Each structure stands twice: as structure tokens, then as C-alpha cells.
Amino acid sequence: QFRKSAAYPGTLPVLNEACIRHAVSLALALGCQVSPRVCFDRKHYFYPDLPHGFQITQERTPIAVNGQLQVPGTNKMVPITHLQLEMDSGKTVARDGSVALDLNRAGSALIEVVSAPALASGAEAADFVRTLQAVARALDISDGNMDQGSLRADVNVNLRVQGRELGSMFDPEAMITTPRVEIKNVTGLRFIAKAVDSELARQLAALRAGEELFCETRGYDARENATRPLRRKETRTDYRFTPEPDIPTVLITQALVDQCRAEMPELPAAACDRLVASYALREDDASILVREEGAREYFEDACQTGAASPALVAAWVINELLARTRHAGLRSVADSPAAPRAMADLLGLVERGDLSGQRAKDVLDIMFSGDERAPRDIVREAG
């Protein structure tokens, strides 16, 4: 943590060693080249939730560069240009016609992952963030909870389209590129997809209407499913980058990199491949189990009992258990009242023909209500 949250006079930032370790672990997971020597810089801009008047970042020497992230279930490989450590700002909260400042997270360290422009739709953008979320959870460096701000996304959107798609005012063979628009702090995977598609549609409509487009920062209004202008985009000169005088140069040793690599857990792409190979699952099902928090572990625990086939367990975890978990407001299937052993026993009854699928769903509802009896006992006593 950069312990300088409210910019009190006399306080100085202190870099938490754990932040460096987390950043190195994530860099290795993304196949990045870790920089042996990193420096920090000040990025100056005024905003109410930034009490210092500047943000500590890594403009000159990011902690890692040149990586990539594969989205499970697809052949899409998204290049990662760089990964950097930054100081988080506070949060501006609008309520009842007034604006409040929440500085609880101000001064905390965050890792910013910057990808190259390789995504072509809102769905692809959401899948990329979902995969990055799964990587962060696998590394145990973040809970990845977007509702609470543990993971946030700034989405850069612009359009490349041939003139023939825009009307007679354009050269039909020309490739038209719109200015880049940044949509700030989109929370929620569904909203990422909607924000991107909404902005693409806005830019396309503006081109066809002959309207001027600007390089700007916009916000996403979920109720209107539309982006709204916030401010024109600053240039690098506007930020007046200067070296951070209060944090010395950090040397990242090869020993630290080797230690982080040795402690690397199984990552989502490898886990997806293993589930397909070991349990004969469809790739789409394996990717869902991997990206949903706790789902892969639940699935494998249930399969280890041998009470039901992996395909049936996967189908019920994906189609029934995840839905009930979300409806109950639980964080993940790991918090499900239905234990993996009990779920496997229930599905064993279905697979042997002792219980219909619909009755099994009714039994699962009873288990979710907190009933700890074995599925067979619930069926017997319910008649």
C-alpha cells in the first residue's frame, strides 16, 4: 500500500513488498518479461477523489512488458503491452443530488494490465476481463469482485470500418478509423459487454450522420444503455509526468522471479485443457467451470466420489448449482449448502434411474434450504 491515502501533510508513500510479489506473479502468469529495475513517476491531474493532485504510477519503467492472455474456449490470444503498479484514487459517489468522496481505497496499490487493441466486440471484452479475473483468483492476489471494486475496467473503444459501409460521402475502399474513446470504471462483466457495443453503435451512427467524433473520456449509463461524455481526453503533456522522489528505484532479483514462478498454481488455460483431457468435457463447459469461482474445485470434488459421471456433474454444476448460488446471493459455489459429496449422490440417483431430473431439482432446492440429510433420505421421507 502507498500509505498516503488522504495526502496529510508530512506523510510519505511506503511501497508494500507484497505488491511487488503480486505484480511479478501476475506478470509471469501472463507470460510477461519482468523488468529487473523499476521506477515510479507522478502523473499530475486534478480530480476531487485524488487528494494529492497526482497519481503515483510507472510511466517510464513498468514492472513487466510483452505478455499475452488466451481466453479459454477460444483461440483468441490477446497481447498484453505492459503491466504497472499504481496508486489507487478514491471514489466519487453521487447520491440524492449531492456528491460525496470515499477515500477508503485512496493510496492502495493496484495493478494495471494494459492490453493491445485485439478485441472486436463487447462479448470478447467481457470474456477477456473474465479470464483475467480467473487468473487473479487462481494466484490469490485478488478476489476479483467487480461489485466491490476489487477489479475494475477502463475500456478503450474505437471503430475501424470500410467506407462502403458508411454511405456515399466516403471512399468505398478507404478504411475509416474513429478517435479512441475511454469508458471509465465499468463494473460488471455484463456492463462491459453492453458499454462496448453501445459505444461502437454510437460511433457508427455518428460517422453515418457526418458528425464529428472526439478523443474523449466517457461514462456508461446502465439505465439508458448509453455512454455519456465526461471530459476531453488529456494528452501525455497534460499529465506533466515527473519522477516520484519519495519511492526509490526497486530492483527485482532473479531469485524473486524464480520463487514466484515456482509457487505458480495451475492457471485457467491449463486447467481448462486438463478438464477436457481428464474428464472428457466439452471445452465450453470446462471454460465455465474454470472461470466461475470455486466451480472447478466443486466439480472435481464431486467427481472424485465416483457416484456420478463427470458430464452429468458438470451439467448440473453449470446449469443448476451456479444459478441457485447467484439467486441465494452467495459469493461462489464453494459456499453452497449442497456439499460436493451430496450433489454427487443426488446425481447418482438420477443416473441410475431412481429419480427423475425434475424431482432431483426439487431435492436440490431442499438441500439449498439448509437441509443436511443425505439426498436418498430426503427422497425416502418425501415419498
Side-chain angles (χ1 to χ4, degrees):
Q1 182 173 357
F2 296 102
R3 298 187 181 279
K4 198 178 181 184
S5 57
Y8 292 122
T11 59
L12 294 174
V14 177
L15 182 60
N16 188 330
E17 181 183 351
C19 299
I20 295 291
R21 289 181 174 273
H22 289 341
V24 170
S25 295
L26 182 58
L28 294 175
L30 298 177
C32 292
Q33 176 184 347
V34 178
S35 303
R37 179 179 179 275
V38 297
C39 304
F40 291 87
D41 305 280
R42 289 185 178 183
K43 177 181 179 182
H44 295 83
Y45 62 95
F46 173 78
Y47 213 66
D49 55 19
L50 190 70
H52 329 69
F54 62 86
Q55 180 186 37
I56 298 175
T57 183
Q58 293 183 311
E59 170 67 13
R60 294 170 296 161
T61 56
I63 196 167
V65 296
N66 299 334
Q68 59 186 10
L69 178 63
Q70 181 179 2
V71 179
T74 74
N75 294 321
K76 174 76 72 171
M77 191 70 76
V78 181
I80 304 297
T81 61
H82 65 274
L83 183 152
Q84 62 193 32
L85 276 170
E86 292 187 339
M87 178 184 70
D88 206 350
S89 63
K91 182 169 62 173
T92 304
V93 182
R95 60 172 67 147
D96 300 328
S98 62
V99 176
L101 296 178
D102 181 351
L103 298 180
N104 282 305
R105 74 185 189 200
S108 298
L110 63 83
I111 302 173
E112 182 172 77
V113 178
V114 181
S115 66
L119 303 168
S121 68
E124 287 191 2
D127 284 343
F128 170 78
V129 175
R130 184 183 288 110
T131 305
L132 185 61
Q133 179 186 57
V135 171
R137 286 171 172 170
L139 295 172
D140 197 25
I141 63 174
S142 172
D143 61 17
N145 192 323
M146 300 193 74
D147 294 335
Q148 297 177 0
S150 302
L151 176 66
R152 306 190 298 277
D154 296 337
V155 188
N156 291 279
V157 181
N158 75 318
L159 193 63
R160 292 184 75 246
V161 60
Q162 282 198 308
R164 65 169 59 93
E165 299 182 34
L166 301 175
S168 58
M169 69 180 71
F170 292 92
D171 179 351
E173 301 302 321
M175 183 64 71
I176 310 301
T177 303
T178 60
R180 179 172 60 88
V181 168
E182 182 178 27
I183 310 173
K184 294 291 289 185
N185 289 331
V186 186
T187 57
L189 298 169
R190 183 167 58 92
F191 292 141
I192 289 173
K194 286 178 172 291
V196 169
D197 291 340
S198 170
E199 178 59 22
L200 287 173
R202 183 192 73 86
Q203 293 184 20
L204 182 60
L207 281 178
R208 287 174 171 164
E211 299 173 0
E212 186 176 5
L213 290 166
F214 304 97
C215 188
E216 60 184 340
T217 299
R218 299 176 72 91
Y220 175 66
D221 185 335
R223 288 175 296 182
E224 299 292 331
N225 189 31
T227 62
R228 301 284 183 239
L230 297 177
R231 58 185 179 273
R232 292 288 174 88
K233 194 69 180 166
E234 298 89 346
T235 65
R236 186 182 183 281
T237 304
D238 294 328
Y239 289 127
R240 296 176 291 120
F241 285 100
T242 60
E244 168 54 58
D246 295 327
I247 300 179
T249 298
V250 177
L251 301 180
I252 300 178
T253 65
Q254 187 60 44
L256 174 61
V257 174
D258 291 342
Q259 182 182 7
C260 290
R261 182 177 284 113
E263 296 172 353
M264 188 72 61
E266 184 180 45
L267 297 175
C272 184
D273 292 341
R274 182 175 60 78
L275 292 183
V276 171
S278 300
Y279 297 97
L281 297 183
R282 295 188 306 124
E283 193 168 358
D284 287 347
D285 289 344
S287 65
I288 294 174
L289 292 173
V290 167
R291 75 189 185 209
E292 295 290 344
E293 186 177 8
R296 176 182 60 81
E297 294 83 356
Y298 187 102
F299 163 78
E300 294 199 89
D301 287 346
C303 287
Q304 285 177 2
T305 67
S309 66
L312 186 62
V313 173
W316 274 69
V317 170
I318 293 169
N319 298 319
E320 303 298 334
L321 191 63
L322 285 174
R324 285 167 172 79
T325 299
R326 296 189 185 105
H327 182 74
L330 301 177
R331 175 177 164 179
S332 74
V333 296
D335 302 320
S336 164
R341 171 82 231 191
M343 173 65 86
D345 289 344
L346 174 64
L347 297 181
L349 296 176
V350 174
E351 207 155 40
R352 290 191 298 272
D354 297 335
L355 191 66
S356 69
Q358 183 55 55
R359 290 301 304 276
K361 294 177 184 179
D362 296 337
V363 173
L364 183 57
D365 288 335
I366 294 173
M367 294 163 61
F368 245 81
S369 70
D371 195 320
E372 297 182 355
R373 290 176 297 167
R376 183 174 294 279
D377 293 336
I378 294 175
V379 171
R380 183 185 302 110
E381 293 180 25

